[in-house]
Structures are given as C-alpha cells and as structure tokens.
Amino acid sequence: SQLTRPSRPLPRPLGAMQRLLLSRACLGLCACAALGAALKVTTERGAGASASASEEASEDPKGAGLPEDTMELACQECASKAPYLDKKDDCVCFATDVMGTFENDATKTLTTASEYSSVTTNTGAARLSEGWHWHCRPVTGTEGVWKQCP
C-alpha cells in the first residue's frame, strides 16, 4: 500500500508572530463593533433631542441630584418622591433653575477699549441651558428663585 500525496501542501502551524497579529486583529474588530453599537445607541438617544417640550415632559426624570431639562420633569420627580419624605410636614414641591441662578464662567463677558469708548462682548454662551432641581420647600428666601410646582 502506497500513500498518496495531497495535491496541495498542508498548512503550516501559525508562528508566534502570526498568532499575535491575528489576536490583535480580532481585538480590533471587537472594539470596532462595540464602538459602532455605542454610537448607534447614542444616535438613537440624540435623535429625540429636538423633541418638543410636551414630548420631553413625558420622559422619565434623570434621578436624584441630577438637574432636569424642564421644570415639569423636576416637579414630576418631586411628586413621585414627596410621599416618602418628611412625615411631619407635607412636601410642597418647588423647583429652581440652577443653571440660571448664578453667574458662571461660561457666561462671562469681556470688556475692551475701542477708540474713545469700550466694547463688551460675550465670550461664552449668553445663558446656560436650563437645569432644574426640586425641593419640598424653597431653600432660600430670594424672590423669584424658587417656583412652586403646579
């Protein structure tokens, strides 16, 4: 009995360098797939960013300590937590726009001399985007800062 030779040569086992390159290529493909999935999720979430205020109000609040995009969301979160807070007094919900309460470096202005006068320009945003926090009572006595929830 005579052994027959295969018509093509058998593949050689992978060397150390080839195994390393193959493992890095697989790792790179996995990273690309994960990044693509993350971008898809971010894009889907970002697609609703231009939603109207009524659609935003139907979204869930972000959670404790995080500023909400609208006063309605802050009041909604307060109303859901109020029954569990302060058993001595009823929780009457108030909300404040913390992003508009204080000056911030992002809203800074720059005044420069120009000929015989001065020119003031805004170096950042004219106003930060809204960010609402809630509390069971107004925390400060400053007029107009805390608004009672409807």
Side-chain angles (χ1 to χ4, degrees):
S1 82
Q2 200 174 30
L3 295 175
T4 59
R5 283 182 78 84
S7 58
R8 55 190 165 128
L10 294 173
R12 284 202 238 149
L14 295 177
M17 185 61 116
Q18 290 171 326
R19 280 192 299 252
L20 177 66
L21 291 175
L22 183 61
S23 65
R24 285 189 180 175
C26 289
L27 183 63
L29 287 173
C30 290
C32 288
L35 180 62
L39 288 175
K40 182 178 179 186
V41 170
T42 303
T43 304
E44 287 172 357
R45 286 184 185 160
S50 62
S52 66
S54 62
E55 290 176 16
E56 284 183 11
S58 66
E59 293 179 9
D60 290 334
K62 293 179 182 174
L66 299 174
E68 303 296 340
D69 294 333
T70 63
M71 181 179 172
E72 291 79 23
L73 282 172
C75 291
Q76 177 184 345
E77 182 177 12
C78 179
S80 70
K81 308 289 189 235
Y84 307 102
L85 301 173
D86 201 359
K87 299 294 182 186
K88 295 177 185 172
D89 294 325
D90 287 337
C91 179
V92 179
C93 295
F94 284 81
T96 185
D97 179 14
V98 293
M99 302 301 187
T101 303
F102 305 103
E103 289 187 22
N104 184 296
D105 286 347
T107 59
K108 215 168 198 162
T109 57
L110 173 68
T111 303
T112 55
S114 175
E115 297 181 8
Y116 298 105
S117 63
S118 60
V119 176
T120 301
T121 56
N122 195 334
T123 59
R127 187 197 187 289
L128 295 176
S129 59
E130 292 183 359
W132 292 85
H133 280 283
W134 62 269
H135 202 274
C136 286
R137 280 159 213 79
V139 176
T140 61
T142 309
E143 288 293 320
V145 173
W146 289 90
K147 299 176 184 173
Q148 188 169 355
C149 292

